[in-house]
Structures are given as C-alpha cells and as structure tokens.
Amino acid sequence: MNRKTLVLPAVAGLLAPLLAACGGAEEGRAIVVGTTDQFIVTEDAPAPLDPAYAYDTGAWNILRQTLQTLMHVPRGGGEPVPEAAQTCGFSDKASESYRCTLRSGLTFADGTPVTAEDVKFSIERVLKIKSDNGTAALLSNIDAIETQGTSGIVFHLKTPDATFPYKISTPVAGILSKDKYAADKLRDGFEVDGSGPYTMKAEREGDKVTRFVFTKNPTYKGDVTLRNDKVELRPFADADAMGAALEHDDIDMMARSLSQKQIKELTEAPKENIRVTEVPGLEIRYLGFNTEAPSVEQKAVRQAMAAVVDRGALVNLVYGPTAEPLYSLIPSSITGHATPFFDEYGEPDPARAAKILKDAGVKTPVKVTLNYTTDHYGAETAKEFEALKNQLVASGLFDAKVQGAEWSAFRTAQKRGDYAVYGLGWFPDYPDPDNYIAPFLDSDNFLNTPYVNKTVREKLIPRSRRQADRNAATPVYAQIQKIVAKDVPVLPLWQGKQYVAARDDLNGVEYALNTSSDLLLWELGRGTA
C-alpha cells in the first residue's frame, strides 16, 4: 500500500514508520487527539454508543477502542485476522458455516470471563433490537448461532457470504456482557463496557460529550499492541478550533476532519513542530433520494440531475487536490470500480437533461431542496451544496435551494423520509465492494430508502457474495452499477483523501487512521524510536 507523507523539512526523518513504544521525558502524559465529530444524546437517538444502534464513524471510533470483535482488519489493511478469537474460518466450501474459537483466559475489563455465550448474546441482541439505523443489516445473513462449550462458536448463514469475516470485524459485532446490556433494549447514554484495549470514561456537559478518556485495559488479551497507557479524544466545534488547539499544543493530533484550507496551509507553509500526513482513504460523498417524494419520484428528474451535475467543477471549487470526481458507488481503489455514471451521462449536458425531462413530461423548473448536515463532514459541506444548487439553477431546469441541519437532527429526519434529496458520506465498514453496494440497495439498508430493485437485492448481491475470490465478483458489480446509473437512487459525487496533522513528537501517526477512517489510538506513542 502506497503512503504519501507531507512533512516539515526539518522533520523529514520522521517519514519512516516509528513502531517503538512511547518514551522520553513526557512519558505518562495522556496523548490528546482532536475530532470534529459530535457526540450528543437526543430523544430520537438516546443510545449513540450502543453497538446495536451506532452506525457512524464517530461512534465506531469509540467502540473500536473499548469492544473486542472476533476478527479485525490488521494494520495496513488486508483480510481480517483473529482478535478476540484464537482461530476463525469457514468450515465448508460453500461459505455458509463459519467457526471460531475464543482465546483462552479472555475477560471483560471488570474481570468477568468472556464466553461463547456472550458472543451469541451480543450478535443475537443486534438482530433482535433491529434499530432503524441500519446496523442489523450487516448481520442479517446469520440464520443461527451455535455454541460449543465455553469457547466455540459456529455461525450458520442463510446464503454463502465470503465477506462475513469482515462483517464480524465491525463494532456491530462487538462482544458485550449480559450483565451490562439488556437483550432487547438499547443502552442509553455514553457508557461502554467491553474487553477491548481500553476502558473509557465520557465527560459531558448536559447531553453532549466534551472529552473521552481511554485508559489501558490491564486485562486485555487480543491481537493489538498498545503503545500508550492513556489517550483522550476531544470533540471540537469545527476544524478551525481544533487547529488552534494543535498549534497551541493543547492537543497532539487532529484527525477528523481537517478542512481543505488547513491542509493547503500546512503543506504549503508548514508550522513549526507540526507535520501533516496523507493516509489512504476510501471515503465517498453522494446525493441520496427519497424515491417516493413527489419532487424526485420520477426517475427522469433524478436522471436529469445526473446529467447536469459537474463533479470536476465541484471538486475544483470546493476541495481542490484533496478529492476527485466519482462516477461509481465503488471508489477507484476498490475491486469492482467502474464509471457507469460517466458511461451513461458523459460530460455535464443540460441539453440532454432537458430532453430527458421533456420526454418524461416533467414540467420545468423542478423545485428541489438539497439537504445537508452542517457539523458532520467538515467545514466545506455548506460551500459544496451551494455549488450544487448553483449548477442545477444554471441549467434552467431546476429551482433549487439548500437547507442545513445538525447531524443529530439531520440523520433522524433523513431516515424518517423527510428529505427528498440529501447529502451523505460513506466511510466503508470494511474495504470490499460489497460494503459500497449492500448498505444502499439491500434490505434493511442504511438509507432506509424506499427504492427496491429485486434483481439487485435478490439475485445480484447474493451472487456477488459467493465469490471467495473478490476479483471474480467484478462482473456482478458491473451489472449492479449499470442499474444504479439508470435508476439513480443515489448519485455519487466524489471520493476523498485523508489527512492527519500532529505534533512532531508523536509517532505512529501514519497507522492511527486506516482506510475506513477508523481511529486506532493504540498505535500512537510519544518520543523517539
């Protein structure tokens, strides 16, 4: 995997991976990481950190530090390897039976033994609660779970699924204690108890977290090595406030999310004792449609938008070199990537869009509202949606306006179907093409969309999962993407790069954010190798 790192000239020697444990005079002081993710309890989302509900990158970044999963994706990517498990693997050629054995001596942080029954309880709990956030869909192919003694677990699947090891590597499959979590009810608030690398304490003001404190779990047994004893994760209102804290040495690193302006400034005019690192990323951004909403229920309206939107101009205006246009749900570095939206619509063409609408008998201009979240994807989102609106209006075919809302309200309204058109991002649960298709098109999907294509849902997605060799599934994904480009239930816009900025006495930075934007806080250390 290629990694491009941009650093201050004075600290160019830090390009090499620093794998040693933290050390030096400041040993023992907590490493502080900044984020613009917000953590809020609301009436509609009272349990943001329950693995049966949590399905956003910010929440998963808390759960990955505190909960164990049977498998996990190792540093640098690749296929999942055992974490809480000693061994895992398919026990049949059809990829329908998956067997794991737990590590011996595994305990929760409070000293209670972790058993196969805890694993069974945790996963069945997700399926039973089946929250409207879409989390249960990752595990919905499980038909039955069998325990064998205290350490053996067998998952019997409804249909073959070569991606199953990835799915049980996600926090939705985090192992929980029956003593701390009810079987049929979400755990409200911000408490998390598990057997992961850290224990966690959340400090809050009212319904909002102001600081997460992660402390090394002395009972942890698993596949990761901790390079620190304590890390704090501190939410900031915006990237500018987070950047000021880094400059003043109040935090050691900022990861999610640097603004395009900050990245440009830090690379072109580096600040003393701060370096910025580019790490591989698989984030995509897209427009989603409520295909039952009157303004966009006609396919022609969505197709006309696809024919008008100028991705290149949008990226150049708002994101510069930190993003690139995307003509597929599957990004360019993932198996199965193609360019179906370019193949179908070509360069932006208002004349063609006008013909599509005219042929369908749609009166113009079409009134649409573009809804976006103001506090979840970074400072540029408002500018991006203003640019999208201007492109639609300039075509003469749309009467468009934009409307923003905080994530806590936005996501609830989007799931409820309040928005005809809305902007979302996607950070993959696992780096496989399946995770750019199923969350949008399968049953119980993340979008809670009314759009259904039975060929995709009942034939093509199951067929793609039968291929243990993921390259062999490429023709199936090509079929799916052609259907998406024709029906336009979603409209891909761009894929982004990831950047981390840190004080130059922090090592392990290049490993602390993986391609799925998961924070791996245990990789961070202070001092020199």
Side-chain angles (χ1 to χ4, degrees):
M1 183 176 293
N2 294 324
R3 295 178 182 270
K4 178 182 175 185
T5 307
L6 301 165
V7 300
L8 294 178
V11 294
L14 293 174
L15 271 169
L18 301 175
L19 307 183
C22 59
E26 294 184 292
E27 186 173 0
R29 181 165 70 90
I31 293 169
V32 184
V33 176
T35 179
T36 55
D37 289 318
Q38 302 299 307
F39 304 88
I40 305 170
V41 165
T42 67
E43 184 178 346
D44 291 316
L49 296 183
D50 190 311
Y53 176 85
Y55 204 6
D56 65 84
T57 301
W60 275 22
N61 280 339
I62 305 302
L63 297 179
R64 287 191 186 277
Q65 322 306 320
T66 49
L67 301 180
Q68 274 190 291
T69 49
L70 290 169
M71 304 283 281
H72 80 131
V73 175
R75 171 203 282 169
E79 295 183 1
V81 298
E83 213 296 75
Q86 185 68 42
T87 60
C88 276
F90 285 105
S91 55
D92 66 332
K93 292 183 179 180
S95 299
E96 288 184 304
S97 181
Y98 195 77
R99 184 186 305 270
C100 294
T101 302
L102 290 174
R103 294 177 185 268
S104 62
L106 206 63
T107 68
F108 291 107
D110 65 3
T112 306
V114 176
T115 69
E117 284 295 333
D118 293 306
V119 177
K120 185 175 188 289
F121 163 80
S122 303
I123 292 178
E124 288 181 343
R125 176 179 179 271
V126 173
L127 296 171
K128 184 174 184 178
I129 292 175
K130 198 177 180 181
S131 82
D132 66 356
N133 221 20
T135 44
L138 280 173
L139 304 175
S140 62
N141 196 33
I142 296 174
D143 187 41
I145 303 174
E146 175 189 352
T147 60
Q148 298 177 338
T150 59
S151 61
I153 311 104
V154 182
F155 298 94
H156 300 283
L157 307 182
K158 298 173 185 176
T159 58
D161 187 0
T163 70
F164 188 70
Y166 284 106
K167 292 172 180 175
I168 60 169
S169 300
T170 65
V172 68
I175 304 170
L176 309 174
S177 168
K178 295 187 288 291
D179 296 337
K180 302 290 176 64
Y181 292 81
D184 57 357
K185 181 183 177 183
L186 293 174
R187 184 178 184 180
D188 292 353
F190 296 108
E191 289 185 290
V192 181
D193 290 279
S195 55
Y198 297 97
T199 58
M200 183 275 287
K201 179 181 178 182
E203 298 179 10
R204 56 194 288 181
E205 290 181 359
D207 294 330
K208 179 181 290 190
V209 170
T210 58
R211 184 195 313 258
F212 291 101
V213 180
F214 298 98
T215 304
K216 183 178 181 179
N217 175 10
T219 71
Y220 170 72
K221 291 184 179 180
D223 190 55
V224 305
T225 300
L226 279 72
R227 294 177 168 81
N228 58 67
D229 293 326
K230 182 178 285 188
V231 183
E232 294 180 8
L233 185 66
R234 194 176 299 173
F236 288 86
D238 52 48
D240 287 341
M242 183 171 60
L246 180 67
E247 190 172 348
H248 295 138
D249 204 14
D250 293 330
I251 64 175
D252 299 290
M253 184 178 94
M254 56 180 186
R256 283 179 45 84
S257 300
L258 281 71
S259 68
Q260 194 272 339
K261 178 183 176 183
Q262 287 174 322
I263 294 166
K264 187 174 188 293
E265 289 177 350
L266 287 169
T267 54
E268 293 181 359
K271 296 182 182 293
E272 186 178 2
N273 301 323
I274 294 174
R275 71 187 190 276
V276 60
T277 303
E278 180 187 332
V279 295
L282 296 173
E283 170 192 8
I284 68 169
R285 298 283 181 89
Y286 59 94
L287 291 179
F289 299 94
N290 176 355
T291 54
E292 290 182 348
S295 62
V296 296
E297 65 179 337
Q298 287 186 266
K299 181 167 60 177
V301 174
R302 307 192 301 271
Q303 290 175 330
M305 290 180 71
V308 165
V309 168
D310 188 335
R311 295 167 177 81
L314 179 70
V315 167
N316 288 337
L317 176 66
V318 182
Y319 295 101
T322 65
E324 58 187 59
L326 181 64
Y327 298 90
S328 162
L329 275 176
I330 302 173
S332 60
S333 53
I334 293 288
T335 298
H337 170 73
T339 56
F341 277 85
F342 187 84
D343 299 341
E344 181 68 27
Y345 302 101
E347 297 290 348
D349 188 349
R352 183 181 178 190
K355 185 177 186 306
I356 291 171
L357 293 171
K358 183 179 179 181
D359 290 349
V362 178
K363 293 182 179 180
T364 58
V366 180
K367 289 188 175 183
V368 293
T369 298
L370 308 179
N371 294 273
Y372 70 97
T373 173
T374 58
D375 62 344
H376 195 66
Y377 296 121
E380 289 83 14
T381 310
K383 185 177 179 182
E384 175 185 357
F385 274 74
E386 191 67 25
L388 283 169
K389 181 202 77 173
N390 291 340
Q391 289 185 6
L392 294 176
V393 170
S395 72
L397 304 173
F398 294 92
D399 177 5
K401 64 178 182 178
V402 297
Q403 179 173 294
E406 292 184 351
W407 175 253
S408 56
F410 173 88
R411 175 65 172 136
T412 300
Q414 180 269 315
K415 288 186 296 183
R416 199 166 50 220
D418 293 356
Y419 302 145
V421 188
Y422 51 86
L424 280 170
W426 185 251
F427 301 87
D429 307 325
Y430 47 91
D432 185 274
D434 178 78
N435 198 238
Y436 289 93
I437 297 296
F440 309 113
L441 304 174
D442 208 354
S443 57
D444 300 320
N445 59 71
F446 167 76
L447 296 179
N448 200 25
T449 176
Y451 171 80
V452 176
N453 184 292
K454 288 187 176 181
T455 298
V456 171
R457 185 172 292 186
E458 298 175 7
K459 295 181 180 180
L460 296 179
I461 289 178
R463 188 184 303 167
S464 72
R465 290 171 175 167
R466 295 191 188 104
Q467 301 292 344
D469 177 358
R470 303 308 289 146
N471 288 315
T474 296
V476 182
Y477 288 118
Q479 287 181 263
I480 293 172
Q481 292 180 86
K482 285 182 180 179
I483 292 171
V484 171
K486 288 280 189 182
D487 290 352
V488 200
V490 292
L491 179 60
L493 297 173
W494 54 268
Q495 68 180 85
K497 302 175 183 179
Q498 290 192 121
Y499 295 83
V500 176
R503 307 292 301 182
D504 61 10
D505 66 339
L506 198 66
N507 62 61
V509 170
E510 52 269 79
Y511 296 117
L513 194 69
N514 68 14
T515 56
S516 297
S517 291
D518 302 325
L519 277 175
L520 311 179
L521 296 179
W522 53 82
E523 295 286 1
L524 297 173
R526 199 189 303 279
T528 56

